Amino acid sequence: MQGLGFGLGLFYVGERQGDLDNTFQLPSYLRTDAALYYQRGNFQAQLNFKNLFNVDYFETAQNRLRVFPGAPFEVLATVRWEF
């Protein structure tokens, strides 16, 4: 299966302050992403998997009342042909 490939990414973010006044902390998290692709000549097809294990996490916060969760498990498919 020449042209077939895969990738794996681990993203660790440690515990951090949630606001500039340091009144609360956001917990640490470990997110796993993966990719599977096939390329032959000018053709490429790819599947990307973000948050593979559907981990609940917080990306950022503005204050205690505005904490933004990370995206759940998602799949992105891409097909490309180069001229």
Side-chain angles (χ1 to χ4, degrees):
M1 294 292 298
Q2 186 176 359
L4 183 64
F6 65 93
L8 182 69
L10 300 174
F11 298 91
Y12 175 77
V13 176
E15 191 174 82
R16 63 230 181 264
Q17 297 302 321
D19 61 6
L20 294 176
D21 295 327
N22 299 335
T23 61
F24 71 102
Q25 293 186 330
L26 295 175
S28 63
Y29 66 88
L30 176 67
R31 189 188 82 214
T32 306
D33 293 354
L36 180 64
Y37 64 89
Y38 177 74
Q39 185 171 357
R40 184 164 187 137
N42 294 340
F43 173 79
Q44 182 179 8
Q46 183 169 330
L47 285 174
N48 291 79
F49 306 94
K50 185 174 179 183
N51 197 2
L52 192 60
F53 300 113
N54 202 27
V55 174
D56 292 328
Y57 65 97
F58 301 107
E59 282 194 8
T60 188
Q62 290 180 343
N63 56 46
R64 258 186 213 280
L65 300 176
R66 296 207 52 172
V67 178
F68 300 98
F73 172 70
E74 57 185 315
V75 178
L76 175 66
T78 306
V79 176
R80 180 173 72 182
W81 184 272
E82 293 182 0
F83 295 96

